[in-house]
Amino acid sequence: MRTRWTTAAITLAMAGGLLAGLPGASVAHDPDTPAGRSSAVAFMAQREPTQDLAAMAQVSCSNGTANGYPCRNVDLLSFLPLSQMGGSQANDIWGWTDPSTGKEYAIVGRRNGTSFVDISDPTAPVYLGNLPAYQNRTAIWRDIKVHRDHAFIVADVRGHGMQVFDLTRLRNRTTPQTFTADAHYSRFGNSHNIAINEETGYAYAVGSNTCSGGLHMVDISTPTSPAYAGCVSSDGYTHDTQCVVYRGPDGAYAGREICVSSNEDTVTIVDVTNKTSPRQIVRAAYSGRQYTHQGWLTDNHRYFVLDDELDESRAGGGTKTFVFDLYDLDAPRHIGTYTSSAAATDHNQYVKGNYSYQANYRAGLRILDLRGIASGTLTEAGYFDIYPSSNTASMNGAWSVYPYFASGVVVVSGIEQGLFVLRPNLPSTLSGSASSDAVRATTVDRRVPA
């Protein structure tokens, strides 16, 4: 077990003074591990100024470019610079669709707050306002997820806690305003990320100053009354996680609530069905690991695609995506590694159907076709490079991506740039889907204690 220190005391030592001038700033990644310290220091050393860019209108990808941005099978619908959506620099991004109006909204984290942008006309995004950081606590690392028409916002900075914002307040708004949160949860201070299982109504704060940095579980079934539910601390610091009601091939865990976590040096799987008594299932290492950063399950819960944040900068070569077969949750198998032609550092990815949508820093949005995943094989289906000057292994450019809008629009947050609203041109129906019922039907017959 790794024990997480509080971060504020070692901030300047880790960042070499580069965090000076950021009020209340703290470090992300576990300061108790060499990999965590290295990743945070690398990020700070590679910081660049916000780019002075103009808003852009719709441009189709033609002959490998869209208004100067390298692309393939992805069109630019619009671009909104940071200067027109609250300023500072961007980090995480998520989305919300209003169930009453069908309008789609991008929720963009920034170092000093959270921006809300109406993209219901994706060629003409409208900035609706800003929710300032809690007590103006600036944070390089901010993260957002949505449940029951509320946004849940955390930041990796001392004392921030979790902000809760009622997204229905965006209805009928056409001019920007400064918002206030509808609720605040304070049983943790800093948190590097937050995951939400919308099916069960639980949020999972990770990398916080509680639970040894592991999963801090919160009941958000009533969004404006979040309540502490339990801790997962057996493997120490968790950098990111995905929690689902398991419907994969391992019959022993059918219907259980399972979290698949990226824990810096392992993929760690935990059964969190009983919040007061979670059970660690396995810690799975893999060859070539440098910093086990983030990953996502295929729709059938059979496979897990993982990005390792430091392998490109330390070992060289193209951006790598590791493929794990979770046929047996007690014994995950690393079955393949996709290597991109670009050398960029990878950051966040999310699976939708047959595709993994990746935000790979300087290489921008990269979309991988998962049809060959059963053999550990992935192929690139398209891309839109928001950092056209370089694809090297540095932490600038695309922070994250949200691909789950019903319209097919995909939004990407650029750290120094702003909000890119994109439309991939990919086949929507493919034979041999990564989420096919044939794969789902195969089960492992074992038992596990309740």
Side-chain angles (χ1 to χ4, degrees), residues 229-299:
C231 259
V232 176
S233 56
S234 57
D235 191 34
Y237 181 88
T238 294
H239 191 79
D240 211 328
T241 193
Q242 182 189 9
C243 301
V244 299
V245 175
Y246 181 72
R247 295 184 177 87
D250 191 337
Y253 296 95
R256 310 286 295 180
E257 188 166 12
I258 302 296
C259 294
V260 183
S261 300
S262 299
N263 279 25
E264 296 194 304
D265 56 0
T266 61
V267 175
T268 299
I269 304 176
V270 182
D271 184 339
V272 296
T273 308
N274 184 344
K275 302 296 182 293
T276 61
S277 185
R279 189 180 77 87
Q280 182 172 297
I281 298 171
V282 68
R283 295 180 69 240
Y286 55 96
S287 177
R289 68 187 185 274
Q290 296 292 339
Y291 192 85
T292 311
H293 180 266
Q294 186 264 357
W296 211 252
L297 292 162
T298 53
D299 290 350

Side-chain angles (χ1 to χ4, degrees), residues 67-114:
N67 201 26
Y69 291 91
C71 59
R72 181 165 74 90
N73 294 337
V74 182
D75 295 330
L76 173 67
L77 297 182
S78 59
F79 167 72
L80 194 63
L82 286 160
S83 61
Q84 296 184 25
M85 50 185 292
S88 190
Q89 293 197 331
N91 37 57
D92 192 45
I93 192 166
W94 206 246
W96 175 63
T97 300
D98 188 330
S100 295
T101 65
K103 284 188 172 185
E104 296 176 342
Y105 298 83
I107 309 168
V108 186
R110 305 181 340 277
R111 295 185 178 181
N112 58 3
T114 303

